[in-house]
Amino acid sequence: MSSPRLASSRTTRLALAGGLVAVLGLGAALYGLGDRSNGGACPLSAATAARVAPLARGEVAALQVSAAPKPAPAITFTGPDGQPRTLADLKGRTLLLNLWATWCAPCKAEMPALDRLQGELGAQDFEVVALNLDTRNPDRPPRWMTENGITRLAYYSDPAGRALPALQQGGDVVGLPTTFLIDPAGCEIGVMKGPAEWASEDALTLLRAALGRG
């Protein structure tokens, strides 16, 4: 039979242990350690990622689909009307955010496919946002688009060079072109590092699945 002093000591240890578990649980909740799905920030995006992942094949096999979608970086750029825009301004539709520049040969090579993709799927629920990163000769990129028959893509630009450093901080951008698939909640579903044939049947099938168009 244990003495009252031993029983009291055991009770104290159990209470301290219980308090420590509670504190650790609170810390996990606050810092996301207990939820690898990032459900707090992007609660519905994991389902879209799961729907898209099996379709990353063929011409879009290099798309890295995230098992735990995260909010897209808060970047600022210039919209087609010359006014400041952010990705948050474009929430409510699925975006294919493509980073390109006129000094990037692979970027220019894939622009016609992105233009055809916008013509094929562009609607209230989807837009190809081709963000130009040239910081010199501001007239050159839109002139290049016109000369090469890129007519369906709106002209988004970042002449101040603010967007690329912000995107590089996340580790997803190591070169150009880089393309992000972003859902209507503003969460990253996947990233393509390098060029792709975005007007291919593989790409159309994947993006229709992301849009829930079947």
Side-chain angles (χ1 to χ4, degrees):
M1 182 174 180
S2 62
S3 68
R5 180 177 296 178
L6 288 174
S8 176
S9 177
R10 185 180 299 114
T11 300
T12 300
R13 289 197 302 270
L14 289 172
L16 289 173
L20 180 59
V21 169
V23 170
L24 289 174
L26 177 60
L30 289 174
Y31 293 99
L33 299 177
D35 183 4
R36 294 182 181 273
S37 69
N38 199 19
C42 297
L44 303 179
S45 304
T48 302
R51 193 165 65 241
V52 164
L55 301 174
R57 59 195 181 202
E59 296 288 352
V60 287
L63 181 71
Q64 300 172 13
V65 181
S66 176
K70 60 185 178 181
I75 61 172
T76 302
F77 45 91
T78 302
D81 57 0
Q83 297 302 308
R85 293 282 182 88
T86 68
L87 282 180
D89 294 332
L90 302 177
K91 271 188 177 182
R93 63 176 63 180
T94 297
L95 305 176
L96 195 69
L97 172 66
N98 174 264
L99 309 179
W100 74 285
T102 58
W103 43 261
C104 168
C107 299
K108 293 189 291 184
E110 74 173 353
M111 286 293 282
L114 288 165
D115 192 58
R116 291 195 299 273
L117 173 62
Q118 176 64 24
E120 182 74 24
L121 296 185
Q124 287 296 108
D125 61 346
F126 177 74
E127 182 180 3
V128 177
V129 177
L131 178 58
N132 178 263
L133 301 180
D134 285 56
T135 55
R136 298 180 180 179
N137 301 320
D139 296 334
R140 183 180 179 186
R143 184 171 66 248
W144 181 89
M145 292 174 71
T146 299
E147 291 172 350
N148 288 273
I150 309 300
T151 59
R152 301 175 183 90
L153 297 177
Y155 181 58
Y156 293 92
S157 62
D158 181 32
R162 295 168 295 186
L164 185 57
L167 290 165
Q168 287 174 323
Q169 285 181 0
D172 287 328
V173 179
V174 295
L176 298 183
T178 298
T179 306
F180 295 88
L181 178 59
I182 301 171
D183 74 2
C187 296
E188 287 182 26
I189 299 300
V191 59
M192 176 78 75
K193 299 176 182 179
E197 182 49 67
W198 288 109
S200 67
E201 195 55 44
D202 292 323
L204 292 171
T205 297
L206 183 146
L207 291 169
R208 287 189 182 109
L211 292 164
R213 295 187 189 177

